[in-house]
């Protein structure tokens, strides 16, 4: 017996050694190609780029994986407790593998063998980190062994908090959200620090299977799983039983965060920023680099710009009649689900889609598009309303603008028509008929001293069309280009009192003859000052002026102002026949408004990388002495403005003064008036009224816009920059300037002010009628003789005397000299 026992013992030892040797050989083979866990030390996950408004409000996010990296110190204890209870309650005690938990899982799986239940796992948080970062998700023995070995090594190298930080920032929560910070925003639209016990528990339940606990498709399972986590938190002593009972009684409360812009009306601006960042850094940095972008947009001003442009477009469009319904559906039965399928203009929340249920001579009964729950389920309530005939009179015209095509709502709408409506303030269930306009436009507002774009509206609705007409639409500026022709002239020897012939002119080029005319075919007014030419927007005068100084000079100034990259030096270009953008025109006017300093328009103030390091800053001015360690009676530091002076400051003021005249008595007279502050600006109307413009400024704000069809077509008889664009500008500026201090246009030192005759531009005696005080540079002043630029192209001096009352008055009154 003793020999037998010895024999069996020896055999057992041999088998044990064989098994140990085999295990050692297996482990050596498995560990030979283990990944380097040191890479965890330089963990840089794909992180979302966040774009903020000028006031810090979140405007947009861009990410392939919605993730925001959050240091473990910033994660609240209740959130940690939820994940530890759900995934690994012994996390802070085991060495990487939970032997007790593993044994329990093996016993339970043996008991459940053949029951069809899913095998119970025993992976610790450390093991999940090893799998997610270093291994594949293959369900093999090799992978589990590697996972365990790596877990032991990771635990020996990194602290528990570091491992938990990696886990919480990497795991997938569904809805394209990764990491606890991204999940909190996606599911509850709040930061991690504001999560409740119930919300923390629900998020902790998701890593097991986000699709299995979807808050809307599998709401019951989601609640059960969340409550199980809450019970484990209480069982582990993280919360009290009372806290657990209260948390389990709460609904899921999921409020999915919508994509796109988070601030109303900023979609065009945000998309332009996105394109610029991609152009500067590439797609990967935008969607994975975790940039923090601070933009220049003023959210309040953006809403004011949006409202002014939308109102102007709608007013014009409604004067042209009704285009017809958005769609037609069956109005009988349950029309809610069918109406809910029609996409509405999400960025025009003031308007709602509705189906016409009945029409009479006095009005229209409507059913409003039902609300849709976050999971896509249509809410059962059917809200109804009414449109009085009085609130849809504009629709009695057809789309061609013909009058009297209908005399009541019965001739416009029928049951089943889907239309847009807007609720009337103070009247319950009462609505106004609306329609998205076919005409489009763009508006940009800018700080002229810095080039910061404060507002940008690229069209009526981003949901209607993503084409940004402020930056992408190439349009003819028309007469709004003229101030740069006059600026070039006054920078090169002309004065506001210089006189030019306003009369028909022919320009011959080869076999072509060009005969520019004034707006509306008006006859020339004879000899007139530069001020009159720009105030009345005289085409013939502008052509003569450009011809006199040379188009090469005009082209040089247009390029200097940034209106064109390369301008062809042809005379029609002096009337704005080239193509440019609203942003470029507003930037060019900003140079005039700020006294001639170069402007670099920007939508972005600053960009920081994921670590907070600034990698771009728009502000290029330097401040010597701003970072002094102490005060030792030194001079106050001054910001050094090293920008190029592209226009003489005195010329800039002269142009500004003339553009003030456009607003007070010129082509925009009566259309633009802003209380308690000066406004300068210029109208623009292209051939056949295909585009109408207005660009103008106060001392500290420049704004410009155009209105036109995307496929250029006439806007109709009488459509001008003064009648269509100027009122929109005035509406915006009136709102935008309310919260800004009133200022005055700065007069350069040395500028002289002399009274001149408004007609002749010559010196005016005291008390003489029809005079104006003009600004002159030192060494210049009113002419002593009545000389007319471009006179030789029209008629002899004697003929001008005979036919021009202004010339006769100049000579007979003795106002000065001869021709």
């Amino acid at each position: 017996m003793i020999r037998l026992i010895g024999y069996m013992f020896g055999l057992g030892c041999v088998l044990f050694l064989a098994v140990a040797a085999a295990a050692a050989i297996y482990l050596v083979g498995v560990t030979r190609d283990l990944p380097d866990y040191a890479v965890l030390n330089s963990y840089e996950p794909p992180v979302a780029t966040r774009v903020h408004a000028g006031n810090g409000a979140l405007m947009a996010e861009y990410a392939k994986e919605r993730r925001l990296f959050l240091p473990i110190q910033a994660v609240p204890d209740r959130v940690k407790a939820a994940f530890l209870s759900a995934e690994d309650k012994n996390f802070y005690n085991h060495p990487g593998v939970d032997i007790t938990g593993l044994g329990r899982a093996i016993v339970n799986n043996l008991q459940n063998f053949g029951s069809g239940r899913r095998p119970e796992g025993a992976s610790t948080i450390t093991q999940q980190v090893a799998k997610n970062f270093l291994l594949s998700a293959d369900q093999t023995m090799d992978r589990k062994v590697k996972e365990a070995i790596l877990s032991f090594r990771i635990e020996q190298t990194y602290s528990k908090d570091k491992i938990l930080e990696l886990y919480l920032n990497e795991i997938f929560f569904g809805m394209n959200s990764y990491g606890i910070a991204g999940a909190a925003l996606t599911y509850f639209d709040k930061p991690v620090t504001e999560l409740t016990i119930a919300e923390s528990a629900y998020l902790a339940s998701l890593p097991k299977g986000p699709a299995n606990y979807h808050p809307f498709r599998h709401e019951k399972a989601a609640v059960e799983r969340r409550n199980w986590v809450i019970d484990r938190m209480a069982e582990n002593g993280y919360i009290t039983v009372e806290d657990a009972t209260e948390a389990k009684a709460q609904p899921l409360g999921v409020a999915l965060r919508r994509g796109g812009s988070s601030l109303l009306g900023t979609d065009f601006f945000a998309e332009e920023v996105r394109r610029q960042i991609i152009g500067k850094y590439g797609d990967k940095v935008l969607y994975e680099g975790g940039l923090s972008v601070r933009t220049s947009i003023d959210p309040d001003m953006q809403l004011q710009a949006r409202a002014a442009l939308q109102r102007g477009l709608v007013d014009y469009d409604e004067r042209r009649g009704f285009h017809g319904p958005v769609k037609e559906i069956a109005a009988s039965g349950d029309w809610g689900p069918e109406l809910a399928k029609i996409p509405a203009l999400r960025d025009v929340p003031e308007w709602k889609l509705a189906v016409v249920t009945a029409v009479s001579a006095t009005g229209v009964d409507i059913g409003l598009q039902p609300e849709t729950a976050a999971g896509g389920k249509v809410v059962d309530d059917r809200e109804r309303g009414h449109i009085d005939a009085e609130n849809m009179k504009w629709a009695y015209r057809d789309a061609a603008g013909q009058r009297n095509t209908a005399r009541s709502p019965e001739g416009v709408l029928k049951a089943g028509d889907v239309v847009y409506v807007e609720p009337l303030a103070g009247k319950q269930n009462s609505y106004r008929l609306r329609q998205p306009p076919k005409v489009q436009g763009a508006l940009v507002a800018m700080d002229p001293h810095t080039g910061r774009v404060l507002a940008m509206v690229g069209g009526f609705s981003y949901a209607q069309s993503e084409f940004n007409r402020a930056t992408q639409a190439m349009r003819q500026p028309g007469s709004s280009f003229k101030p740069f022709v006059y600026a070039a002239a006054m920078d090169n020897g002309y004065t506001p009192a210089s006189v030019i012939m306003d009369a028909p002119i022919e320009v011959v080029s080869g076999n072509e003859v060009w005969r520019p005319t004034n707006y509306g075919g008006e006859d020339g007014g004879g000899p007139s000052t530069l001020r009159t030419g720009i105030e009345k927007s005289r085409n013939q005068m502008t052509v003569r002026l450009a011809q006199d100084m040379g188009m090469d000079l005009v082209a040089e100034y247009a390029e200097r102002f940034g209106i064109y990259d390369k301008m062809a030096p042809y005379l029609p270009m002096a009337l704005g026949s080239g193509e440019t953008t609203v942003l470029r025109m507003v930037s060019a006017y900003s140079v005039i408004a700020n006294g001639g300093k170069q402007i670099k328009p920007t939508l972005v103030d600053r960009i920081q990388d994921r670590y907070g390091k600034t990698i771009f800053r728009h502000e290029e001015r330097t401040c010597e002495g701003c970072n002094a360690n102490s005060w030792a009676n030194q001079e106050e530091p001054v910001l050094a403005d090293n920008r190029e002076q592209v226009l003489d400051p005195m010329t800039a003021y002269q142009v500004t003064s003339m553009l003030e005249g456009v607003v007070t008595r010129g082509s925009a007279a009566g259309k633009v008036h802003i209380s308690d502050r000066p406004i300068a600006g210029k109208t623009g109307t292209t051939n056949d009224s295909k585009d109408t413009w207005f660009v103008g400024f106060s001392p500290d704000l420049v704004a410009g816009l155009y209105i036109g069809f995307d496929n250029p077509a006439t806007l109709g008889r009488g459509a001008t920059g003064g009648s269509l664009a100027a009122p929109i500008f005035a509406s915006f500026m009136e709102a935008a300037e309310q919260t800004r201090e009133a200022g005055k246009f700065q007069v350069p030192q040395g500028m002289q002010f002399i009274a001149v005759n408004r007609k002749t531009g010559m010196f005016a005696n005291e008390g003489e009628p029809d005079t104006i005080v003009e600004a002159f540079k030192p060494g210049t002043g009113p002419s002593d003789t009545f000389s007319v630029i471009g006179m030789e192209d029209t008629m002899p001096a004697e003929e001008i005397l005979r036919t021009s009352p202004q010339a006769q008055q100049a000579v007979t009154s003795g106002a000065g000299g001869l021709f």
Side-chain angles (χ1 to χ4, degrees), residues 505-522:
I505 182 175
E506 290 186 354
V507 180
V508 179
S509 177
N511 296 325
E512 298 292 328
V513 178
W514 178 50
R515 299 181 179 88
T517 60
N518 292 328
Y519 176 77
E522 294 180 9

Side-chain angles (χ1 to χ4, degrees), residues 10-26:
L11 182 62
C13 288
V14 171
L15 289 174
F16 174 78
L17 291 173
V19 171
I25 293 171
Y26 172 74

